[in-house]
Amino acid sequence: FSCYLNSTRLARRMESSSFLYLFYFTLIFLIIMRLRETVGYERLRDESELLSLIQKYDTQDAVGSFRSLRIHQKLCENEKNCEIIPPFKTYYPAYSIAGPGHRVSSCMIPKNMSTVLSAIFCALFTHSLRNSSRPVTKMGREICNQRNELHNYKQIKNLAHGQPWVNFVMVREPAERFLSGFMYMCSPGNGENSVCEGCAGDIKCALMRTLESSRRFAAGDLSASSYLLWHLGPQNWHCDFQRNLEHFKLIHYSPENKEKLNSDLSKVLEEGKVDRSDVELIVSQVSSGTSIHATRQKAETKMFEKHMEDIEVKRLLVKIFYWDYVLFNFTLPDVDF
């Protein structure tokens, strides 16, 4: 009798489990069918692929990833009707190598400490780090005459010969980087404002111009490339990221956090076989100096920082730099659409 009772209970459990499985399967099926009716199968498939891409690179919590997806849904009806600038367009990659004996390279993205990094790699390449009266932050790269510059990631792979090689890139919070580029090119009285395309002193104008140029370039119009787009356009268009993002060490750069910068820079240079004494000298000079293109110390910067809090400015930042925020794991601006 006991065996009969146990077998009866087991049968009931199996029956109950089967019922629950069938219930959940049916519920999911009905939800999918409903979604197909409301948003269309192609949209559903595209959003599934989009979510996978967001989850792959965006290491925020599930709420952050879900928010990124919702923003994309609001701004992009489909690929052809999308207000967000697409990722991974190739915009003139530029790499610097440190030369024989070293196994390190860096991709240069404008306004991401690129002037100083270029000087560091040039000094290492020419062995002039200790033979100059100027600190590395004030050096140029003219002495190298582009001998240590490459423009295709395949060239880096060829140099590595399948052996360990450190390839890193500085990425920056998009709003902070845009403001830095704006102050360099477009602040009133700036000698560079002739290349600001009529937007000197006007952040919203510069953003609109960047958005327009980015859309044209993304659509294949190479005439849209400009000094302004080079400095203010999406970071993910540089460095052959479309095919090689996973081969880079990404360093979150901010001039506001020099301690982290010193630590990150020391780590990649040492890993790239740069002598410890040279690394210490480089880090010391970077820590105590600013480059000739630094903008954070300008008094006007504080004033324009307030302009960056404008709702429309934030919306433009999202439209242009959505994929910079997602791919490089920065938090999207808190703004509704």
Side-chain angles (χ1 to χ4, degrees):
F1 177 77
S2 176
C3 290
Y4 170 77
L5 185 60
N6 288 336
S7 63
T8 302
R9 288 174 177 170
L10 179 61
R12 286 177 178 173
R13 286 177 185 170
M14 292 178 64
E15 183 179 346
S16 176
S17 298
S18 298
F19 174 77
L20 287 173
Y21 176 80
L22 180 61
F23 172 77
Y24 285 124
F25 178 82
T26 304
L27 180 62
I28 292 171
F29 176 77
L30 290 173
I31 290 173
I32 291 175
M33 292 302 293
R34 178 58 180 162
L35 283 170
R36 288 182 65 171
E37 292 174 5
T38 56
V39 301
Y41 176 72
E42 290 299 322
R43 176 73 183 272
L44 185 63
R45 187 187 66 183
D46 291 345
E47 288 185 358
S48 176
E49 294 174 353
L50 174 65
L51 182 58
S52 297
L53 184 62
I54 289 173
Q55 289 176 332
K56 180 178 181 180
Y57 293 107
D58 189 345
T59 58
Q60 301 179 76
D61 56 22
V63 174
S65 295
F66 182 78
R67 180 169 172 268
S68 299
L69 179 61
R70 293 282 77 80
I71 289 174
H72 197 281
Q73 286 177 321
K74 289 181 179 180
L75 294 178
C76 294
E77 182 178 339
N78 52 53
E79 185 177 351
K80 292 183 178 179
N81 187 17
C82 181
E83 295 186 62
I84 290 174
I85 296 300
F88 297 137
K89 299 299 176 180
T90 302
Y91 198 83
Y92 311 118
Y95 305 88
S96 289
I97 59 173
H102 305 113
R103 302 192 64 79
V104 60
S105 57
S106 181
C107 180
M108 304 299 163
I109 298 179
K111 303 314 300 175
N112 292 7
M113 197 178 154
S114 57
T115 301
V116 172
L117 280 176
S118 295
I120 289 171
F121 276 87
C122 182
L124 291 171
F125 187 82
T126 57
H127 305 286
S128 60
L129 183 63
R130 299 179 181 277
N131 300 326
S132 174
S133 59
R134 295 181 297 169
V136 72
T137 53
K138 303 298 182 183
M139 292 181 186
R141 57 192 175 100
E142 294 79 10
I143 188 175
C144 285
N145 196 27
Q146 300 183 342
R147 288 175 296 154
N148 70 324
E149 296 180 13
L150 305 175
H151 298 281
N152 191 307
Y153 184 76
K154 290 181 180 179
Q155 295 173 292
I156 301 292
K157 291 180 67 176
N158 291 338
L159 285 174
H161 291 298
Q163 299 300 312
W165 185 282
V166 180
N167 189 47
F168 73 93
V169 61
M170 299 282 187
V171 293
R172 191 171 183 180
E173 198 282 327
E176 181 183 278
R177 174 178 176 265
F178 177 85
L179 181 59
S180 176
F182 176 85
M183 294 305 301
Y184 170 59
M185 296 176 57
C186 303
S187 60
N190 192 326
E192 298 287 346
N193 62 26
S194 60
V195 293
C196 195
E197 301 184 18
C199 293
D202 190 335
I203 281 181
K204 198 174 296 184
C205 172
L207 278 166
M208 291 293 292
R209 191 75 69 194
T210 303
L211 179 62
E212 177 189 356
S213 297
S214 297
R215 281 177 176 162
R216 287 172 51 207
F217 188 87
D221 182 1
L222 299 184
S223 68
S225 61
S226 65
Y227 195 68
L228 181 139
L229 187 60
W230 172 257
H231 282 85
L232 304 185
Q235 297 171 72
N236 71 82
W237 285 9
H238 296 265
C239 307
D240 297 307
F241 279 138
Q242 181 173 9
R243 293 172 292 275
N244 303 298
L245 181 56
E246 294 177 355
H247 298 151
F248 281 89
K249 288 182 180 292
L250 301 180
I251 296 178
H252 279 201
Y253 161 70
S254 173
E256 296 295 298
N257 193 344
K258 285 198 172 184
E259 185 175 339
K260 179 181 181 301
L261 172 62
N262 293 342
S263 174
D264 290 338
L265 192 57
S266 296
K267 192 176 299 182
V268 291
L269 291 178
E270 285 191 43
E271 192 177 342
K273 306 302 181 184
V274 177
D275 290 344
R276 177 63 188 170
S277 59
D278 287 343
V279 173
E280 290 176 350
L281 178 59
I282 289 169
V283 169
S284 173
Q285 293 182 353
V286 168
S287 180
S288 60
T290 57
S291 81
I292 56 175
H293 291 159
T295 60
R296 290 294 298 177
Q297 304 305 317
K298 291 185 177 181
E300 293 170 321
T301 302
K302 301 299 181 183
M303 177 184 70
F304 283 107
E305 282 177 349
K306 296 179 181 178
H307 295 190
M308 298 293 288
E309 296 301 315
D310 180 82
I311 296 298
E312 188 56 34
V313 165
K314 289 184 177 182
R315 287 174 178 156
L316 288 168
L317 287 169
V318 172
K319 290 178 182 180
I320 301 169
F321 304 118
Y322 173 89
W323 284 109
D324 282 351
Y325 282 106
V326 170
L327 294 171
F328 303 138
N329 196 30
F330 292 106
T331 302
L332 281 157
D334 186 12
V335 61
D336 293 326
F337 288 90

